Amino acid sequence: MIFLIFSFGVTLIFGLANIYIYKRLVLKFITLKYLRRLFALILFTLFLAQAFFMVFRSSEYLNDTWYSFFASLYAPTYCFFFVTLLLDFLRLVLTLLGKSFMKIASFLKVSFEIFVLLFGAFITYFSIYSAIKVPEFNEVDIEISHLTKELKIAMLTDIHLGKNLHEKFLSEIIEKVNSKNVDMIVIVGDLVDAKPETLKPYISKLNDLKSTYGTFYALGNHEYYHGINEVLELLKGQTNMRILVNEGVDLDFINIAGVGDLVGLRKGILAPDLARAKVDLNLSKPSILLAHQPKTTQLYDVSDFDLILSGHTHGGQIFPFALLVKLQQGFVSGLYPLSEKTQLFVSRGAGFWGPSLRTFSQSELVILNLRGDK
């Protein structure tokens, strides 16, 4: 039922946005005067494709190629909706100033309309490209009290391996991470976003990740959506990652622990258990906690940890959803002090969820340079 309500809601929103674009941009532009029927057909076809994707995105009817194609078709509507909204705002300003678009010379008006159309096309392309490209590195320096030696960590979150991002994307991430010669790699949830059997041909590539202390992994919410037991069976069977589900590891000079995702509370399986994760740790040492959702820090006492690493938010992914993320999670992206001892770092993530679309929130691979305080 929730799936149907969500799908209907999104489809309705994009349908109304397509109508708005037609009425307030296509019908208003003199450059499109003789192309109105064509654009009406294009916008209607976009709506049908968007509705189709919403209904069948979780099924096996769409192979990877078609899935990627349909997922990208939300970008034109989204981008041109905001372009049209800006145009209406400009019209309102001109009206308040006692002016009008109609009084502008035809040559200037046509030039302006062509510019607007090209600008809309560019931001549509850039939004899709920003979603599917292999991210660049964001390097962050963090001071941790009593850390006896520097530690260079590659942090990966929200890769979302599935129909949109798969083997090639993962291989390129691994190559980029290995070029950094890190001490440790952490994968903080939402690695898997498809039925586990579809990842079997290439998930073992994670064994190619190179670091001094190995790769540590914590669950995200999307792993639960595709059968948490099957996901764990796949990862334990085909990768050499240290999987931290309410478990901690003492690495002599630092501790690292991971907890289950908050969605486990609702599903009644592998919910966060911070007390269990701390059982085997010497908490007089600096300690890192992997917790996919940053909201975890608001629901549990994390004061024994020096650094919590989270993802989940995608930095908002699509404007203006960063505002909703802030309300729901309490954090969006970047480094946050939680107390005099404890800090939280939230990554924008390497991949994306849903439509192939990222605006005002670029994906990232993160290098954390940890140093002792001076």
Side-chain angles (χ1 to χ4, degrees), residues 73-89:
L73 294 181
Y74 288 84
T77 298
Y78 173 87
C79 294
F80 274 94
F81 170 81
F82 279 101
V83 167
T84 307
L85 198 63
L86 286 172
L87 279 174
D88 271 346
F89 177 75

Side-chain angles (χ1 to χ4, degrees), residues 4-66:
L4 292 175
I5 293 173
F6 175 78
S7 298
F8 177 78
V10 171
T11 301
L12 178 62
I13 289 169
F14 274 84
L16 293 174
N18 284 319
I19 293 172
Y20 176 67
I21 293 166
Y22 180 75
K23 287 184 172 294
R24 302 299 299 169
L25 188 146
V26 175
L27 292 182
K28 296 287 184 179
F29 274 22
I30 59 175
T31 50
L32 302 179
K33 182 177 180 180
Y34 300 105
L35 299 172
R36 288 171 181 168
R37 289 188 177 180
L38 173 62
F39 274 89
L41 178 61
I42 290 172
L43 290 168
F44 181 67
T45 303
L46 269 179
F47 167 71
L48 292 179
Q50 291 156 359
F52 177 83
F53 179 79
M54 268 294 127
V55 173
F56 293 104
R57 68 188 188 279
S58 298
S59 71
E60 297 304 315
Y61 293 106
L62 297 175
N63 62 27
D64 292 356
T65 301
W66 281 110

Side-chain angles (χ1 to χ4, degrees), residues 300-344:
Y300 294 84
D301 179 7
V302 295
S303 60
D304 286 324
F305 292 90
D306 297 84
L307 180 63
I308 292 87
L309 301 179
S310 299
H312 185 66
T313 68
H314 298 198
Q317 185 171 322
I318 303 173
F319 174 84
F321 287 107
L323 302 175
L324 299 178
V325 169
K326 176 69 174 176
L327 289 174
Q328 200 269 335
Q329 288 289 324
F331 310 92
V332 180
S333 66
L335 187 64
Y336 300 87
L338 300 182
S339 68
E340 187 174 341
K341 173 185 177 179
T342 307
Q343 299 177 80
L344 165 69

Side-chain angles (χ1 to χ4, degrees), residues 24 37 43 68 87 90-91 95-96 104 107 125 128 148 156 162 201 226 246 265 281 311 315 319 331 340 342 366 371:
R24 302 299 299 169
R37 289 188 177 180
L43 290 168
S68 298
L87 279 174
L90 180 57
R91 291 185 183 110
T95 299
L96 293 175
I104 300 174
F107 172 76
Y125 164 79
I128 296 172
T148 56
L156 311 175
H226 298 285
N246 301 320
L265 294 169
L281 303 184
F319 174 84
F331 310 92
E340 187 174 341
T342 307
V366 179
R371 299 182 177 89

Side-chain angles (χ1 to χ4, degrees), residues 70-256:
F70 280 104
S72 69
L73 294 181
Y74 288 84
T77 298
Y78 173 87
C79 294
F80 274 94
F81 170 81
F82 279 101
V83 167
T84 307
L85 198 63
L86 286 172
L87 279 174
D88 271 346
F89 177 75
L90 180 57
R91 291 185 183 110
L92 176 62
V93 171
L94 288 175
T95 299
L96 293 175
L97 293 174
K99 299 180 181 180
S100 169
F101 272 118
M102 299 303 295
K103 297 177 182 179
I104 300 174
S106 295
F107 172 76
L108 291 176
K109 189 174 182 182
V110 168
S111 299
F112 175 74
E113 290 179 357
I114 292 173
F115 168 78
V116 168
L117 294 172
L118 291 175
F119 176 71
F122 171 76
I123 61 172
T124 298
Y125 164 79
F126 186 73
S127 296
I128 296 172
Y129 171 76
S130 295
I132 64 176
K133 71 179 178 69
V134 177
E136 299 300 323
F137 283 103
N138 174 24
E139 295 214 17
V140 181
D141 297 329
I142 300 177
E143 287 189 358
I144 292 183
S145 180
H146 308 305
L147 185 65
T148 56
K149 63 179 180 179
E150 294 183 359
L151 189 64
K152 186 177 183 180
I153 300 176
M155 178 185 178
L156 311 175
T157 72
D158 303 279
I159 298 176
H160 286 279
L161 293 175
K163 287 180 173 291
N164 235 324
L165 304 171
H166 26 76
E167 183 174 2
K168 184 174 183 293
F169 186 73
L170 179 61
S171 296
E172 291 182 16
I173 286 178
I174 292 170
E175 184 179 350
K176 293 189 78 166
V177 170
N178 287 344
S179 71
K180 290 293 184 177
N181 299 314
V182 298
D183 299 310
M184 181 191 299
I185 298 164
V186 296
I187 302 177
V188 194
D190 282 6
L191 168 67
V192 174
D193 199 3
K195 290 184 178 180
E197 59 264 26
T198 65
L199 307 182
K200 282 183 179 179
Y202 66 87
I203 197 66
S204 61
K205 284 182 176 290
L206 288 166
N207 296 330
D208 295 334
L209 285 167
K210 298 175 182 178
S211 66
T212 305
Y213 298 103
T215 302
F216 299 86
Y217 164 78
L219 296 171
N221 56 307
H222 279 259
E223 278 85 353
Y224 292 75
Y225 301 150
H226 298 285
I228 186 62
N229 291 324
E230 291 78 7
V231 168
L232 287 172
E233 181 181 357
L234 172 71
L235 296 178
K236 289 176 179 178
Q238 298 207 24
T239 77
N240 56 19
M241 297 187 299
R242 184 63 184 267
I243 298 173
L244 301 176
V245 184
N246 301 320
E247 180 184 356
V249 179
D250 187 330
L251 294 177
D252 185 38
F253 69 101
I254 196 168
N255 300 311
I256 182 166

